[in-house]
Amino acid sequence: MTRPVALGLDRFVSGEASAANGLRNSRLGLIAHPASVTADLIHAADAIRTAGYDLRALFGPQHGARGEKQDNMIESDHYLDPVTGLPVHSLYGDVRKPAPPMLDGLDALLFDLQDVGVRVYTFVWTMALAMEACAEAGIRFVVLDRPNPIGGTRREGAVLRPGYESFVGLHPVPLRHGLTCGEMASWLNEERGIGCDLTVIPCEGWRRSMLWSDTGLPWVMPSPNLPTPDSCTVYPGMVLLEGTNLSEGRGTTRPFEIFGAPWLDPAGLTARLSEARLPGVRFRPCHFEPTFQKHAGHLCGGAQLHVTDPHAFEPVRTAVEILVAAHALAPHDFAWRQPPYEYEETLPPIDILWGHSGLREGVQDGMKTDAILAVTEADWEIFGQSVEPYLLY
């Protein structure tokens, strides 16, 4: 079957990418997860070994190399991979940057994670820390690039400010950044001074205007609560609900598409959201009972997002409008989540998710969504100029 897009992984194992030839006799490590598959759904570790490369070790990000951790923020241990027998080093836990002993005996470290184009999704920060470790160890770092499933034409949300760094944001990147991992790696390496021996093996055929449905590739969930491309479409905004006492739909079959709380009135909420005339989305009032995480076992009132036009839809604007509405409708019940969150012990989770305190303070002060978002746009231009030389597509 001919597909519009060829993955960096497929181009690597086929030998089509010229950069692959220099790695034929190298001792390799691989950062991978369940979505690290070829277009024919063969896991990267198996495909790389079958192609005759000398794979020595695996490294697992958040949720694990095989996706064994189903809930959020559950750490993985080091273990032996049950399929290949290779050692698996966890990069989500006490160790998030590969330690020198993990890299001993390797000539290059491959990175093949399906990202979703959002700053707070931890895989790009696993990549950044691994690049730092490779720079210090003097070994090569190779990104097997993948499409950004929500496209590469739009940026949304705040750019991370100094003082708000965490594992959901280590560098000044917008909430929705519009880059692939390969592009992000090149920018980090040059503009942020990592300085490792970096090679990016690009996709072939991907265009920035493409959504996942345009690629012809099968979708494999990169983490348990992003089961479909629809989940990814809403995620850049709805992930902000993690910084509140609203359920973002974890523990339901439609995480990030369903949201609410026991104290929210679905009819009043959806009426207010409909009045906002948000582009590309409609809201259906609903009730749901999460099976785990926030409000587990309790009936919640809320809504489901139905995206009618993914090209017009603005997930971050939508989520900010939801927070403004929830605060206005239930000011005594709505609350911000308290730390710790993603290894940050002091700063409010909403602040590290947004990138600074402006969203939290704006909602508390009764600001409208337009006013909250207005301060973000100037930063996009600066970021866009900075990344322009590193765009591959």
Side-chain angles (χ1 to χ4, degrees):
M1 174 183 177
T2 302
R3 297 178 174 91
V5 175
L7 297 166
L9 171 62
D10 286 291
R11 298 185 67 229
F12 174 73
V13 297
S14 70
E16 175 191 337
S18 59
N21 298 329
L23 295 168
R24 181 61 64 181
N25 297 315
S26 298
R27 297 165 296 178
L28 305 177
L30 171 67
I31 301 174
H33 62 179
S36 304
V37 295
T38 68
D40 292 325
L41 296 173
I42 300 170
H43 191 269
D46 301 322
I48 289 167
R49 282 159 56 94
T50 300
Y53 290 96
D54 184 8
L55 187 61
R56 298 289 184 94
L58 301 178
F59 295 77
Q62 186 176 10
H63 303 292
R66 295 284 179 182
E68 65 271 12
K69 302 301 182 186
Q70 292 297 303
D71 204 352
N72 197 36
M73 288 179 281
I74 295 181
E75 298 176 348
S76 296
D77 296 322
H78 309 292
Y79 62 98
L80 292 179
D81 180 52
V83 179
T84 63
L86 295 173
V88 180
H89 303 294
S90 171
L91 299 180
Y92 190 74
D94 292 336
V95 176
R96 292 182 293 283
K97 176 179 178 178
M102 297 179 182
L103 301 176
D104 280 352
L106 298 182
D107 300 307
L109 181 59
L110 308 179
F111 177 91
D112 183 34
L113 298 183
Q114 178 61 60
D115 188 51
V116 297
V118 183
R119 185 212 325 124
V120 302
Y121 206 57
T122 60
F123 296 154
V124 291
W125 309 123
T126 294
M127 180 179 73
L129 294 175
M131 290 170 64
E132 291 178 10
C134 287
E136 293 161 6
I139 70 173
R140 191 174 173 188
F141 191 82
V142 181
V143 178
L144 308 179
D145 212 9
R146 290 179 172 269
N148 183 329
I150 58 174
T153 61
R154 182 179 294 176
R155 298 185 179 102
E156 295 184 67
V159 173
L160 182 75
R161 292 181 181 172
Y164 291 89
E165 295 88 354
S166 72
F167 197 52
V168 290
L170 292 174
H171 292 271
V173 172
L175 183 56
R176 179 180 182 177
H177 52 71
L179 304 180
T180 68
C181 284
E183 293 171 332
M184 180 73 78
S186 297
W187 178 76
L188 289 168
N189 207 43
E190 298 299 326
E191 299 296 324
R192 304 299 296 169
I194 292 179
C196 69
D197 178 5
L198 174 66
T199 298
V200 177
I201 298 181
C203 303
E204 189 174 82
W206 188 70
R207 300 187 303 277
R208 310 201 78 79
S209 60
M210 283 182 166
L211 301 178
W212 190 263
S213 58
D214 301 318
T215 67
L217 296 166
W219 177 255
V220 177
M221 55 186 182
S223 57
N225 285 288
L226 290 180
T228 68
D230 290 343
S231 314
C232 298
T233 300
V234 301
Y235 179 75
M238 297 303 289
V239 68
L240 294 169
L241 273 62
E242 290 189 10
T244 74
N245 63 346
L246 293 168
S247 167
E248 64 276 9
R250 293 182 187 275
T252 76
T253 57
R254 304 298 289 192
F256 300 109
E257 296 176 67
I258 291 175
F259 70 95
W263 34 264
L264 268 181
D265 168 42
L269 174 69
T270 53
R272 181 180 175 116
L273 292 174
S274 296
E275 289 173 3
R277 299 186 181 279
L278 294 159
V281 65
R282 297 181 64 185
F283 298 90
R284 178 182 65 85
C286 69
H287 289 84
F288 62 97
E289 186 176 296
T291 58
F292 58 83
Q293 285 220 4
K294 296 177 194 171
H295 310 305
H298 296 278
L299 185 66
C300 294
Q304 181 176 354
L305 282 72
H306 293 265
V307 177
T308 56
D309 183 349
H311 293 285
F313 176 57
E314 299 177 43
V316 175
R317 174 178 291 277
T318 300
V320 172
E321 193 70 49
I322 287 169
L323 296 181
V324 168
H327 180 266
L329 292 170
H332 301 296
D333 295 303
F334 177 87
W336 304 108
R337 181 175 180 170
Q338 297 301 303
Y341 175 79
E342 287 289 2
Y343 305 102
E344 167 56 46
E345 302 288 337
T346 304
L347 293 171
I350 191 64
D351 289 5
I352 62 173
L353 286 166
W354 185 243
H356 55 77
S357 62
L359 174 59
R360 174 174 53 84
E361 293 168 352
V363 171
Q364 289 172 178
D365 292 345
M367 291 174 62
K368 294 192 179 297
T369 296
D370 282 344
I372 293 171
L373 293 177
V375 298
T376 67
E377 295 181 11
D379 291 339
W380 300 345
E381 185 175 352
I382 296 170
F383 179 77
Q385 292 172 351
S386 178
V387 300
E388 181 68 29
Y390 307 102
L391 299 183
L392 297 171
Y393 311 95

